Amino acid sequence: MTLVHHDPDLDIAPPRLLGVDHLEWWVGNARTFAGFLCSAFGFEPVAYAGPETGRADRVSYLLRQGGIRFMVSGALHPESPIADHVRRHGDGVRDIAFLVDDVDAAYDAALARGGTGLRSPADDTDDHGTVRHAAIATFGDTVHTLLDRSRYDGPFAPRFEPSDLSRPVGPDVGLVRLDHLVGNVELGALERWVHFYEQVFGFSQLLHFDDDQISTEYSALMSTVVWNGDRADPQPTGELVVMPINEPAEGRKKSQIEEYLDFYGTPGVQHIALRTEDIVATVRALRARGVRFMDVPATYYAEARQRMEGIDDLPWAALEELSILVDRDADGHLLQIFTETVTDRPTVFFEIIEREGAKGFGEGNFKALFEAIERAQARRGNL
Ligand code: FE2
């Protein structure tokens, strides 16, 4: 592994990202975790790489649903970096892989602008063509692969073969795309990481939430959303990359961000928000498949109905039955729900989100939710 540091040269245009190609999970048992994502979340197994396909050190399952791709990888030997990663972090997201049209230009630009190179541009070739890739370090042990798959027509990448895992059965889930990806960083490090994305990738700040906006007396966090949505030379075919970054703030109790950092051991990916066009149908399907969601106290909905006054077509009975949350901003409203953590350690979870115009992230909703939870706690005498 080569670490390269440069003095940043911001005259060089930042890398042009076409969107997130895939997220790679490094887990203790890839076959089981991939199977879980298929049976519980409705992903379809697409491709597989492992010893049978010429890969000696790891297995990887590529899964797809709508425009969302997950790669799930596991180690075959204790010396594998995957085994080490799992020992330190538990299961987690190792790689947020960005699709680019020019890996070399993107890598050179990221390095010139102060990024740390982990893997220089290289080709991976077989009978189906060539995949070119490189990698840049980001928070914790997380990386951004820069990937060009435009000259490859096989199942995903060299040494991947069509998956022979059986298709999952169950109601259609209907997830269509990645909405946003959230990173948790250490206390005091938010500004540094926002600066990192601005400098290295040319992102800008979409929103910032202070701890007084998303805190209660008991839990607090600060969040800045960085994205590539307003650069002067937008990539016309690409999907936007939207990444809220959280840092814990002082509360009277341990914040959820601190708990993440304690268990993950370093900064890392906290939640992955997946978009649906029909959240009621999606959550019904996920619940039928056994996905478990965060509880919402009944007191939440009395407050929510007031907050959403004037928005007439909300299916309140279904939202309450399924524990779906609602929020609004100047542009419209959104519906969202959070799963329980899907890892053994209390670290990574999913959000399911339907946007009806709203461009926010439900932060106003968080406060209402936390307060509703605390009211319920208080009634039990546990606060
Ligand atoms: Fe979110």
Side-chain angles (χ1 to χ4, degrees):
M1 187 164 81
T2 316
L3 292 175
V4 185
H5 294 279
H6 289 267
D7 290 331
D9 178 355
L10 302 184
D11 291 336
I12 293 180
R16 277 159 66 94
L17 308 181
L18 297 161
V20 174
D21 182 78
H22 67 273
L23 300 185
E24 183 173 7
W25 297 75
W26 276 9
V27 301
N29 185 333
R31 190 175 187 101
T32 304
F33 197 80
F36 165 68
L37 290 173
C38 292
S39 61
F41 285 87
F43 280 80
E44 286 193 10
V46 174
Y48 166 80
E52 302 88 342
T53 71
R55 249 179 156 199
D57 68 325
R58 65 187 63 184
V59 295
S60 292
Y61 295 88
L62 186 82
L63 314 176
R64 190 191 68 85
Q65 181 169 178
I68 308 156
R69 273 200 214 86
F70 288 151
M71 195 194 297
V72 182
S73 299
L76 292 174
H77 306 291
E79 301 76 27
S80 160
I82 299 178
D84 189 50
H85 197 273
V86 169
R87 185 182 61 76
R88 283 186 292 141
H89 303 291
D91 294 348
V93 175
R94 162 66 172 181
D95 187 358
I96 302 166
F98 292 139
L99 203 60
V100 297
D101 50 16
D102 185 337
V103 171
D104 297 74
Y107 184 79
D108 290 346
L111 260 56
R113 295 174 64 93
T116 299
L118 295 177
R119 221 169 52 231
S120 302
D123 278 344
D124 221 350
T125 300
D126 70 6
D127 295 345
H128 291 285
T130 296
V131 167
R132 192 157 180 82
H133 57 89
I136 304 286
T138 182
F139 43 74
D141 285 330
T142 316
V143 308
H144 288 302
T145 286
L146 306 171
L147 192 60
D148 170 15
R149 298 198 294 108
S150 65
R151 290 172 294 143
Y152 194 77
D153 67 0
F156 189 65
R159 284 182 302 286
F160 277 80
E161 292 181 355
S163 172
D164 64 355
L165 284 190
S166 53
R167 306 269 144 186
V169 293
D172 188 39
V173 173
L175 297 171
V176 293
R177 53 159 295 182
L178 215 52
D179 188 84
H180 59 275
L181 287 163
V182 181
N184 283 346
V185 300
E186 312 96 320
L187 186 64
L190 176 59
E191 216 179 288
R192 183 159 61 82
W193 285 107
V194 168
H195 184 65
F196 168 87
Y197 279 99
E198 288 176 331
Q199 185 175 304
V200 174
F201 289 105
F203 285 11
S204 57
Q205 296 185 33
L206 175 62
L207 287 166
H208 174 76
F209 300 94
D210 260 323
D211 49 348
D212 59 336
Q213 287 168 281
I214 36 177
S215 71
T216 66
E217 202 178 348
Y218 297 95
S219 20
L221 62 95
M222 288 199 291
S223 189
T224 300
V225 184
V226 294
W227 72 326
N228 66 344
D230 67 349
R231 54 183 292 168
D233 57 337
Q235 179 48 256
T237 56
E239 290 205 331
L240 296 180
V241 178
V242 181
M243 295 182 62
I245 303 173
N246 297 330
E247 103 169 42
E250 294 290 325
R252 271 168 58 185
K253 288 188 180 169
K254 180 183 279 195
S255 81
Q256 52 171 313
I257 312 302
E258 271 176 278
E259 186 188 39
Y260 175 101
L261 294 168
D262 284 353
F263 280 88
Y264 202 70
T266 63
V269 171
Q270 177 215 35
H271 76 264
I272 301 158
L274 305 174
R275 185 93 66 87
T276 172
E277 310 288 340
D278 181 354
I279 196 167
V280 169
T282 293
V283 173
R284 239 185 245 296
L286 291 172
R287 286 190 180 279
R289 288 165 171 269
V291 174
R292 292 160 56 104
F293 294 92
M294 218 167 79
D295 274 340
V296 179
T299 51
Y300 170 85
Y301 289 94
E303 180 278 336
R305 280 174 194 253
Q306 290 177 7
R307 203 154 36 90
M308 303 300 282
E309 217 172 68
I311 299 170
D312 294 329
D313 54 351
L314 290 172
W316 285 108
L319 300 185
E320 194 158 348
E321 174 206 337
L322 298 167
S323 293
I324 294 167
L325 308 172
V326 289
D327 197 16
R328 71 192 303 175
D329 62 20
D331 300 303
H333 68 279
L334 61 80
L335 302 103
Q336 64 185 168
I337 189 168
F338 300 92
T339 70
E340 294 183 347
T341 51
V342 295
T343 45
D344 293 331
R345 303 187 196 185
T347 52
V348 189
F349 58 92
F350 290 106
E351 172 183 345
I352 310 299
I353 183 167
E354 176 185 336
R355 291 187 183 276
E356 297 300 333
K359 298 191 175 80
F361 298 86
E363 269 86 356
N365 200 15
F366 263 17
K367 184 166 178 136
L369 178 65
F370 289 160
E371 285 172 351
I373 290 169
E374 285 158 11
R375 277 196 298 276
Q377 256 179 296
R379 279 200 306 279
R380 292 191 297 269
N382 290 338
L383 195 63

mmCIF file with all atom_site columns, all heavy atoms in Angstrom, residues 240-259:
data_model
loop_
_atom_site.group_PDB
_atom_site.id
_atom_site.type_symbol
_atom_site.label_atom_id
_atom_site.label_alt_id
_atom_site.label_comp_id
_atom_site.label_asym_id
_atom_site.label_entity_id
_atom_site.label_seq_id
_atom_site.pdbx_PDB_ins_code
_atom_site.Cartn_x
_atom_site.Cartn_y
_atom_site.Cartn_z
_atom_site.occupancy
_atom_site.B_iso_or_equiv
_atom_site.pdbx_formal_charge
_atom_site.auth_seq_id
_atom_site.auth_comp_id
_atom_site.auth_asym_id
_atom_site.auth_atom_id
_atom_site.pdbx_PDB_model_num
ATOM 1   N N   . LEU A 1 240 ? -26.302 12.022 -8.375 1.00 0.00 ? 240 LEU A N   1
ATOM 2   C CA  . LEU A 1 240 ? -25.618 12.842 -7.387 1.00 0.00 ? 240 LEU A CA  1
ATOM 3   C C   . LEU A 1 240 ? -25.107 11.977 -6.239 1.00 0.00 ? 240 LEU A C   1
ATOM 4   O O   . LEU A 1 240 ? -25.677 10.948 -5.907 1.00 0.00 ? 240 LEU A O   1
ATOM 5   C CB  . LEU A 1 240 ? -26.568 13.900 -6.843 1.00 0.00 ? 240 LEU A CB  1
ATOM 6   C CG  . LEU A 1 240 ? -27.049 14.921 -7.886 1.00 0.00 ? 240 LEU A CG  1
ATOM 7   C CD1 . LEU A 1 240 ? -27.980 15.920 -7.234 1.00 0.00 ? 240 LEU A CD1 1
ATOM 8   C CD2 . LEU A 1 240 ? -25.856 15.619 -8.519 1.00 0.00 ? 240 LEU A CD2 1
ATOM 9   N N   . VAL A 1 241 ? -24.015 12.444 -5.645 1.00 0.00 ? 241 VAL A N   1
ATOM 10  C CA  . VAL A 1 241 ? -23.498 11.824 -4.431 1.00 0.00 ? 241 VAL A CA  1
ATOM 11  C C   . VAL A 1 241 ? -23.845 12.757 -3.277 1.00 0.00 ? 241 VAL A C   1
ATOM 12  O O   . VAL A 1 241 ? -23.484 13.930 -3.293 1.00 0.00 ? 241 VAL A O   1
ATOM 13  C CB  . VAL A 1 241 ? -21.971 11.631 -4.522 1.00 0.00 ? 241 VAL A CB  1
ATOM 14  C CG1 . VAL A 1 241 ? -21.438 11.025 -3.230 1.00 0.00 ? 241 VAL A CG1 1
ATOM 15  C CG2 . VAL A 1 241 ? -21.608 10.785 -5.731 1.00 0.00 ? 241 VAL A CG2 1
ATOM 16  N N   . VAL A 1 242 ? -24.580 12.234 -2.306 1.00 0.00 ? 242 VAL A N   1
ATOM 17  C CA  . VAL A 1 242 ? -25.055 13.045 -1.177 1.00 0.00 ? 242 VAL A CA  1
ATOM 18  C C   . VAL A 1 242 ? -24.615 12.353 0.113  1.00 0.00 ? 242 VAL A C   1
ATOM 19  O O   . VAL A 1 242 ? -25.010 11.213 0.373  1.00 0.00 ? 242 VAL A O   1
ATOM 20  C CB  . VAL A 1 242 ? -26.589 13.190 -1.198 1.00 0.00 ? 242 VAL A CB  1
ATOM 21  C CG1 . VAL A 1 242 ? -27.059 14.059 -0.046 1.00 0.00 ? 242 VAL A CG1 1
ATOM 22  C CG2 . VAL A 1 242 ? -27.058 13.764 -2.531 1.00 0.00 ? 242 VAL A CG2 1
ATOM 23  N N   . MET A 1 243 ? -23.785 13.042 0.892  1.00 0.00 ? 243 MET A N   1
ATOM 24  C CA  . MET A 1 243 ? -23.208 12.412 2.082  1.00 0.00 ? 243 MET A CA  1
ATOM 25  C C   . MET A 1 243 ? -23.305 13.308 3.316  1.00 0.00 ? 243 MET A C   1
ATOM 26  O O   . MET A 1 243 ? -22.465 14.173 3.525  1.00 0.00 ? 243 MET A O   1
ATOM 27  C CB  . MET A 1 243 ? -21.731 12.060 1.821  1.00 0.00 ? 243 MET A CB  1
ATOM 28  C CG  . MET A 1 243 ? -21.542 11.008 0.744  1.00 0.00 ? 243 MET A CG  1
ATOM 29  S SD  . MET A 1 243 ? -19.796 10.591 0.501  1.00 0.00 ? 243 MET A SD  1
ATOM 30  C CE  . MET A 1 243 ? -19.358 9.933  2.110  1.00 0.00 ? 243 MET A CE  1
ATOM 31  N N   . PRO A 1 244 ? -24.319 13.092 4.148  1.00 0.00 ? 244 PRO A N   1
ATOM 32  C CA  . PRO A 1 244 ? -24.302 13.744 5.460  1.00 0.00 ? 244 PRO A CA  1
ATOM 33  C C   . PRO A 1 244 ? -23.161 13.179 6.311  1.00 0.00 ? 244 PRO A C   1
ATOM 34  O O   . PRO A 1 244 ? -22.877 11.980 6.260  1.00 0.00 ? 244 PRO A O   1
ATOM 35  C CB  . PRO A 1 244 ? -25.659 13.359 6.068  1.00 0.00 ? 244 PRO A CB  1
ATOM 36  C CG  . PRO A 1 244 ? -26.508 12.943 4.901  1.00 0.00 ? 244 PRO A CG  1
ATOM 37  C CD  . PRO A 1 244 ? -25.548 12.334 3.917  1.00 0.00 ? 244 PRO A CD  1
ATOM 38  N N   . ILE A 1 245 ? -22.501 14.060 7.046  1.00 0.00 ? 245 ILE A N   1
ATOM 39  C CA  . ILE A 1 245 ? -21.452 13.626 7.971  1.00 0.00 ? 245 ILE A CA  1
ATOM 40  C C   . ILE A 1 245 ? -21.855 14.084 9.363  1.00 0.00 ? 245 ILE A C   1
ATOM 41  O O   . ILE A 1 245 ? -22.188 15.246 9.570  1.00 0.00 ? 245 ILE A O   1
ATOM 42  C CB  . ILE A 1 245 ? -20.083 14.214 7.572  1.00 0.00 ? 245 ILE A CB  1
ATOM 43  C CG1 . ILE A 1 245 ? -19.744 13.800 6.137  1.00 0.00 ? 245 ILE A CG1 1
ATOM 44  C CG2 . ILE A 1 245 ? -18.997 13.744 8.532  1.00 0.00 ? 245 ILE A CG2 1
ATOM 45  C CD1 . ILE A 1 245 ? -18.494 14.476 5.601  1.00 0.00 ? 245 ILE A CD1 1
ATOM 46  N N   . ASN A 1 246 ? -21.850 13.148 10.306 1.00 0.00 ? 246 ASN A N   1
ATOM 47  C CA  . ASN A 1 246 ? -22.269 13.431 11.685 1.00 0.00 ? 246 ASN A CA  1
ATOM 48  C C   . ASN A 1 246 ? -21.081 13.466 12.630 1.00 0.00 ? 246 ASN A C   1
ATOM 49  O O   . ASN A 1 246 ? -20.168 12.655 12.500 1.00 0.00 ? 246 ASN A O   1
ATOM 50  C CB  . ASN A 1 246 ? -23.180 12.320 12.222 1.00 0.00 ? 246 ASN A CB  1
ATOM 51  C CG  . ASN A 1 246 ? -24.481 12.196 11.463 1.00 0.00 ? 246 ASN A CG  1
ATOM 52  O OD1 . ASN A 1 246 ? -25.007 13.168 10.932 1.00 0.00 ? 246 ASN A OD1 1
ATOM 53  N ND2 . ASN A 1 246 ? -25.001 10.978 11.417 1.00 0.00 ? 246 ASN A ND2 1
ATOM 54  N N   . GLU A 1 247 ? -21.163 14.342 13.604 1.00 0.00 ? 247 GLU A N   1
ATOM 55  C CA  . GLU A 1 247 ? -20.237 14.260 14.742 1.00 0.00 ? 247 GLU A CA  1
ATOM 56  C C   . GLU A 1 247 ? -21.065 14.323 16.009 1.00 0.00 ? 247 GLU A C   1
ATOM 57  O O   . GLU A 1 247 ? -22.105 14.993 16.043 1.00 0.00 ? 247 GLU A O   1
ATOM 58  C CB  . GLU A 1 247 ? -19.166 15.359 14.665 1.00 0.00 ? 247 GLU A CB  1
ATOM 59  C CG  . GLU A 1 247 ? -19.353 16.523 15.577 1.00 0.00 ? 247 GLU A CG  1
ATOM 60  C CD  . GLU A 1 247 ? -18.139 17.462 15.660 1.00 0.00 ? 247 GLU A CD  1
ATOM 61  O OE1 . GLU A 1 247 ? -17.523 17.772 14.640 1.00 0.00 ? 247 GLU A OE1 1
ATOM 62  O OE2 . GLU A 1 247 ? -17.844 17.887 16.782 1.00 0.00 ? 247 GLU A OE2 1
ATOM 63  N N   . PRO A 1 248 ? -20.639 13.604 17.044 1.00 0.00 ? 248 PRO A N   1
ATOM 64  C CA  . PRO A 1 248 ? -21.424 13.613 18.282 1.00 0.00 ? 248 PRO A CA  1
ATOM 65  C C   . PRO A 1 248 ? -21.342 14.975 18.946 1.00 0.00 ? 248 PRO A C   1
ATOM 66  O O   . PRO A 1 248 ? -20.385 15.717 18.737 1.00 0.00 ? 248 PRO A O   1
ATOM 67  C CB  . PRO A 1 248 ? -20.748 12.549 19.154 1.00 0.00 ? 248 PRO A CB  1
ATOM 68  C CG  . PRO A 1 248 ? -19.360 12.425 18.615 1.00 0.00 ? 248 PRO A CG  1
ATOM 69  C CD  . PRO A 1 248 ? -19.431 12.774 17.157 1.00 0.00 ? 248 PRO A CD  1
ATOM 70  N N   . ALA A 1 249 ? -22.357 15.321 19.712 1.00 0.00 ? 249 ALA A N   1
ATOM 71  C CA  . ALA A 1 249 ? -22.314 16.539 20.516 1.00 0.00 ? 249 ALA A CA  1
ATOM 72  C C   . ALA A 1 249 ? -22.658 16.153 21.945 1.00 0.00 ? 249 ALA A C   1
ATOM 73  O O   . ALA A 1 249 ? -23.215 15.095 22.202 1.00 0.00 ? 249 ALA A O   1
ATOM 74  C CB  . ALA A 1 249 ? -23.299 17.563 19.969 1.00 0.00 ? 249 ALA A CB  1
ATOM 75  N N   . GLU A 1 250 ? -22.293 17.044 22.851 1.00 0.00 ? 250 GLU A N   1
ATOM 76  C CA  . GLU A 1 250 ? -22.505 16.757 24.260 1.00 0.00 ? 250 GLU A CA  1
ATOM 77  C C   . GLU A 1 250 ? -23.992 16.667 24.600 1.00 0.00 ? 250 GLU A C   1
ATOM 78  O O   . GLU A 1 250 ? -24.762 17.567 24.285 1.00 0.00 ? 250 GLU A O   1
ATOM 79  C CB  . GLU A 1 250 ? -21.890 17.875 25.113 1.00 0.00 ? 250 GLU A CB  1
ATOM 80  C CG  . GLU A 1 250 ? -20.379 17.955 25.015 1.00 0.00 ? 250 GLU A CG  1
ATOM 81  C CD  . GLU A 1 250 ? -19.680 16.789 25.696 1.00 0.00 ? 250 GLU A CD  1
ATOM 82  O OE1 . GLU A 1 250 ? -20.214 16.327 26.736 1.00 0.00 ? 250 GLU A OE1 1
ATOM 83  O OE2 . GLU A 1 250 ? -18.645 16.339 25.196 1.00 0.00 ? 250 GLU A OE2 1
ATOM 84  N N   . GLY A 1 251 ? -24.410 15.585 25.194 1.00 0.00 ? 251 GLY A N   1
ATOM 85  C CA  . GLY A 1 251 ? -25.762 15.480 25.732 1.00 0.00 ? 251 GLY A CA  1
ATOM 86  C C   . GLY A 1 251 ? -25.621 14.936 27.133 1.00 0.00 ? 251 GLY A C   1
ATOM 87  O O   . GLY A 1 251 ? -24.509 14.664 27.596 1.00 0.00 ? 251 GLY A O   1
ATOM 88  N N   . ARG A 1 252 ? -26.730 14.749 27.812 1.00 0.00 ? 252 ARG A N   1
ATOM 89  C CA  . ARG A 1 252 ? -26.614 14.214 29.167 1.00 0.00 ? 252 ARG A CA  1
ATOM 90  C C   . ARG A 1 252 ? -26.350 12.722 29.167 1.00 0.00 ? 252 ARG A C   1
ATOM 91  O O   . ARG A 1 252 ? -25.887 12.162 30.144 1.00 0.00 ? 252 ARG A O   1
ATOM 92  C CB  . ARG A 1 252 ? -27.875 14.547 29.970 1.00 0.00 ? 252 ARG A CB  1
ATOM 93  C CG  . ARG A 1 252 ? -27.748 15.901 30.675 1.00 0.00 ? 252 ARG A CG  1
ATOM 94  C CD  . ARG A 1 252 ? -29.055 16.367 31.231 1.00 0.00 ? 252 ARG A CD  1
ATOM 95  N NE  . ARG A 1 252 ? -29.627 15.414 32.171 1.00 0.00 ? 252 ARG A NE  1
ATOM 96  C CZ  . ARG A 1 252 ? -30.814 15.571 32.720 1.00 0.00 ? 252 ARG A CZ  1
ATOM 97  N NH1 . ARG A 1 252 ? -31.545 16.636 32.438 1.00 0.00 ? 252 ARG A NH1 1
ATOM 98  N NH2 . ARG A 1 252 ? -31.286 14.671 33.552 1.00 0.00 ? 252 ARG A NH2 1
ATOM 99  N N   . LYS A 1 253 ? -26.687 12.084 28.026 1.00 0.00 ? 253 LYS A N   1
ATOM 100 C CA  . LYS A 1 253 ? -26.393 10.664 27.898 1.00 0.00 ? 253 LYS A CA  1
ATOM 101 C C   . LYS A 1 253 ? -25.526 10.469 26.674 1.00 0.00 ? 253 LYS A C   1
ATOM 102 O O   . LYS A 1 253 ? -25.355 11.363 25.854 1.00 0.00 ? 253 LYS A O   1
ATOM 103 C CB  . LYS A 1 253 ? -27.690 9.878  27.746 1.00 0.00 ? 253 LYS A CB  1
ATOM 104 C CG  . LYS A 1 253 ? -28.489 9.813  29.028 1.00 0.00 ? 253 LYS A CG  1
ATOM 105 C CD  . LYS A 1 253 ? -29.642 8.860  28.869 1.00 0.00 ? 253 LYS A CD  1
ATOM 106 C CE  . LYS A 1 253 ? -30.443 8.808  30.173 1.00 0.00 ? 253 LYS A CE  1
ATOM 107 N NZ  . LYS A 1 253 ? -31.702 8.095  29.987 1.00 0.00 ? 253 LYS A NZ  1
ATOM 108 N N   . LYS A 1 254 ? -25.004 9.269  26.538 1.00 0.00 ? 254 LYS A N   1
ATOM 109 C CA  . LYS A 1 254 ? -24.175 8.958  25.383 1.00 0.00 ? 254 LYS A CA  1
ATOM 110 C C   . LYS A 1 254 ? -24.982 9.107  24.099 1.00 0.00 ? 254 LYS A C   1
ATOM 111 O O   . LYS A 1 254 ? -26.069 8.553  23.984 1.00 0.00 ? 254 LYS A O   1
ATOM 112 C CB  . LYS A 1 254 ? -23.673 7.516  25.515 1.00 0.00 ? 254 LYS A CB  1
ATOM 113 C CG  . LYS A 1 254 ? -22.793 7.088  24.364 1.00 0.00 ? 254 LYS A CG  1
ATOM 114 C CD  . LYS A 1 254 ? -22.387 5.630  24.499 1.00 0.00 ? 254 LYS A CD  1
ATOM 115 C CE  . LYS A 1 254 ? -21.230 5.464  25.463 1.00 0.00 ? 254 LYS A CE  1
ATOM 116 N NZ  . LYS A 1 254 ? -20.601 4.131  25.336 1.00 0.00 ? 254 LYS A NZ  1
ATOM 117 N N   . SER A 1 255 ? -24.477 9.856  23.148 1.00 0.00 ? 255 SER A N   1
ATOM 118 C CA  . SER A 1 255 ? -25.217 10.020 21.901 1.00 0.00 ? 255 SER A CA  1
ATOM 119 C C   . SER A 1 255 ? -25.069 8.766  21.060 1.00 0.00 ? 255 SER A C   1
ATOM 120 O O   . SER A 1 255 ? -24.154 7.972  21.232 1.00 0.00 ? 255 SER A O   1
ATOM 121 C CB  . SER A 1 255 ? -24.698 11.227 21.124 1.00 0.00 ? 255 SER A CB  1
ATOM 122 O OG  . SER A 1 255 ? -23.529 10.877 20.414 1.00 0.00 ? 255 SER A OG  1
ATOM 123 N N   . GLN A 1 256 ? -25.996 8.619  20.097 1.00 0.00 ? 256 GLN A N   1
ATOM 124 C CA  . GLN A 1 256 ? -25.941 7.449  19.220 1.00 0.00 ? 256 GLN A CA  1
ATOM 125 C C   . GLN A 1 256 ? -24.656 7.465  18.384 1.00 0.00 ? 256 GLN A C   1
ATOM 126 O O   . GLN A 1 256 ? -24.165 6.406  17.997 1.00 0.00 ? 256 GLN A O   1
ATOM 127 C CB  . GLN A 1 256 ? -27.175 7.412  18.332 1.00 0.00 ? 256 GLN A CB  1
ATOM 128 C CG  . GLN A 1 256 ? -27.423 8.714  17.586 1.00 0.00 ? 256 GLN A CG  1
ATOM 129 C CD  . GLN A 1 256 ? -28.532 8.581  16.555 1.00 0.00 ? 256 GLN A CD  1
ATOM 130 O OE1 . GLN A 1 256 ? -28.569 7.653  15.783 1.00 0.00 ? 256 GLN A OE1 1
ATOM 131 N NE2 . GLN A 1 256 ? -29.440 9.529  16.573 1.00 0.00 ? 256 GLN A NE2 1
ATOM 132 N N   . ILE A 1 257 ? -24.097 8.642  18.116 1.00 0.00 ? 257 ILE A N   1
ATOM 133 C CA  . ILE A 1 257 ? -22.871 8.709  17.322 1.00 0.00 ? 257 ILE A CA  1
ATOM 134 C C   . ILE A 1 257 ? -21.688 8.191  18.152 1.00 0.00 ? 257 ILE A C   1
ATOM 135 O O   . ILE A 1 257 ? -20.831 7.455  17.660 1.00 0.00 ? 257 ILE A O   1
ATOM 136 C CB  . ILE A 1 257 ? -22.575 10.153 16.847 1.00 0.00 ? 257 ILE A CB  1
ATOM 137 C CG1 . ILE A 1 257 ? -23.824 10.794 16.247 1.00 0.00 ? 257 ILE A CG1 1
ATOM 138 C CG2 . ILE A 1 257 ? -21.406 10.172 15.861 1.00 0.00 ? 257 ILE A CG2 1
ATOM 139 C CD1 . ILE A 1 257 ? -24.436 10.058 15.088 1.00 0.00 ? 257 ILE A CD1 1
ATOM 140 N N   . GLU A 1 258 ? -21.658 8.587  19.428 1.00 0.00 ? 258 GLU A N   1
ATOM 141 C CA  . GLU A 1 258 ? -20.597 8.075  20.310 1.00 0.00 ? 258 GLU A CA  1
ATOM 142 C C   . GLU A 1 258 ? -20.659 6.561  20.433 1.00 0.00 ? 258 GLU A C   1
ATOM 143 O O   . GLU A 1 258 ? -19.624 5.891  20.458 1.00 0.00 ? 258 GLU A O   1
ATOM 144 C CB  . GLU A 1 258 ? -20.772 8.651  21.720 1.00 0.00 ? 258 GLU A CB  1
ATOM 145 C CG  . GLU A 1 258 ? -20.081 9.959  21.972 1.00 0.00 ? 258 GLU A CG  1
ATOM 146 C CD  . GLU A 1 258 ? -20.419 10.435 23.370 1.00 0.00 ? 258 GLU A CD  1
ATOM 147 O OE1 . GLU A 1 258 ? -21.511 11.026 23.535 1.00 0.00 ? 258 GLU A OE1 1
ATOM 148 O OE2 . GLU A 1 258 ? -19.626 10.181 24.287 1.00 0.00 ? 258 GLU A OE2 1
ATOM 149 N N   . GLU A 1 259 ? -21.871 6.044  20.539 1.00 0.00 ? 259 GLU A N   1
ATOM 150 C CA  . GLU A 1 259 ? -22.016 4.595  20.654 1.00 0.00 ? 259 GLU A CA  1
ATOM 151 C C   . GLU A 1 259 ? -21.455 3.916  19.404 1.00 0.00 ? 259 GLU A C   1
ATOM 152 O O   . GLU A 1 259 ? -20.734 2.918  19.471 1.00 0.00 ? 259 GLU A O   1
ATOM 153 C CB  . GLU A 1 259 ? -23.490 4.208  20.851 1.00 0.00 ? 259 GLU A CB  1
ATOM 154 C CG  . GLU A 1 259 ? -23.654 2.728  21.118 1.00 0.00 ? 259 GLU A CG  1
ATOM 155 C CD  . GLU A 1 259 ? -25.111 2.276  21.124 1.00 0.00 ? 259 GLU A CD  1
ATOM 156 O OE1 . GLU A 1 259 ? -25.901 2.755  20.290 1.00 0.00 ? 259 GLU A OE1 1
ATOM 157 O OE2 . GLU A 1 259 ? -25.458 1.431  21.949 1.00 0.00 ? 259 GLU A OE2 1
#
